[in-house]
Amino acid sequence: MTILVEQHPGYWQVTLNRPDRLNALTAAMGGALLATLNEAEADPDCRAILLTGAGRGFCAGQDLTEVMPTEAGPPGLKPLLDGYNAVIRKLRGLEMPVVAAVNGVAAGAGANLALACDIVLAAKSASFLQAFARIGLIPDVGGTWLLPRLVGAARARALAMLAEPLTAERAAEWSLIWQAVDDDKLTEAARALTARLAQGPTKGLALAKRALDAAETNTLDQQLDLERDLQDEAARTADYAEGVRAFLEKRPAKFSGR
Ligand code: LHQ
């Protein structure tokens, strides 16, 4: 099984599982990951997802043995990338928060898979490597979109062109990720964070996620209209009613996700 699932109260932990290859991605594994995300989405008890890797790596990107140029010509990468892109679209579109717990090196498509998640935690010994330039490729699965937005144009270009590893702590300083944590605390911290999000106002969190993604291309005028519409939608949820009631009663809110 290249993808493992553990169901926890309120959330699914999804683990990339090819540890002897640092969880390098294959086409089949990309398909299995997408199928798992679809199953999580269909489970009404799943209100958040935690994505991590088995063993000492998070994900070393595309399994290069699957895409070797041969004498017959270069490998056609489009179908493979369509498959991975479907995973990225799914992660961004999921109406629940997705946390990445980057337990070790995240390279190439593996780095950008992590960065597509909503909140990224990383072990201090982990690193992020836009490895593509080392083999003549460009950052893919959303890398060229995500990098400049997360760290700014200058750093994005240097990361893409130099293909040097960035430590987890530097990644946090640069706001590429949310937090770097001690290695032995990563699992505990990531599970606590995901469990907390799973108890949140899921619909409202999903609407915030949608608004933030739309802001990347909207003008301020368009975004103000969108915020108005999505806020109106958020205010119709049971969780808004509960949140306000709990505030007035000076007690913690108990959100149902609806
Ligand atoms: C691997 C891989 C790997 C196979 C480690 N493949 N075996 C491209 C094309 C098509 C469509 C989709 O998108 C893409 C985008 C991409 O992702 S391109 C970028 C692909 N990834 C890379 O170029 C990174 C390659 N890996 C590395 O540079 C190193 O392994 C890193 C820096 C990640 C880790 O280094 P170490 O900690 O020294 O580990 P290692 O190199 O010894 O790796 C452990 C094993 O895993 C080793 O096998 P072995 O039999 O010697 O134990 C590696 O060959 C294997 N492995 N990455 N991508």
Side-chain angles (χ1 to χ4, degrees), residues 18-22 24-25 56 59-65 67 77 80-81 84 105-110 129 131-132 134-135 137-138 140-141:
R18 293 183 74 220
D20 56 326
R21 302 281 96 181
L22 301 179
L25 297 166
R56 73 176 177 89
C59 176
Q62 171 63 37
D63 187 317
L64 293 174
T65 64
V67 288
L77 297 184
L80 188 57
L81 281 168
Y84 296 147
V105 65
L129 173 60
F132 310 89
R134 293 186 179 185
I135 53 171
L137 295 182
I138 70 162
D140 62 9
V141 299

Side-chain angles (χ1 to χ4, degrees), residues 30-48:
L33 179 55
L34 181 62
T36 301
L37 296 175
N38 282 327
E39 285 166 30
E41 187 177 36
D43 175 359
D45 295 328
C46 180
R47 290 167 58 190

Side-chain angles (χ1 to χ4, degrees), residues 99-100 126:
V99 173

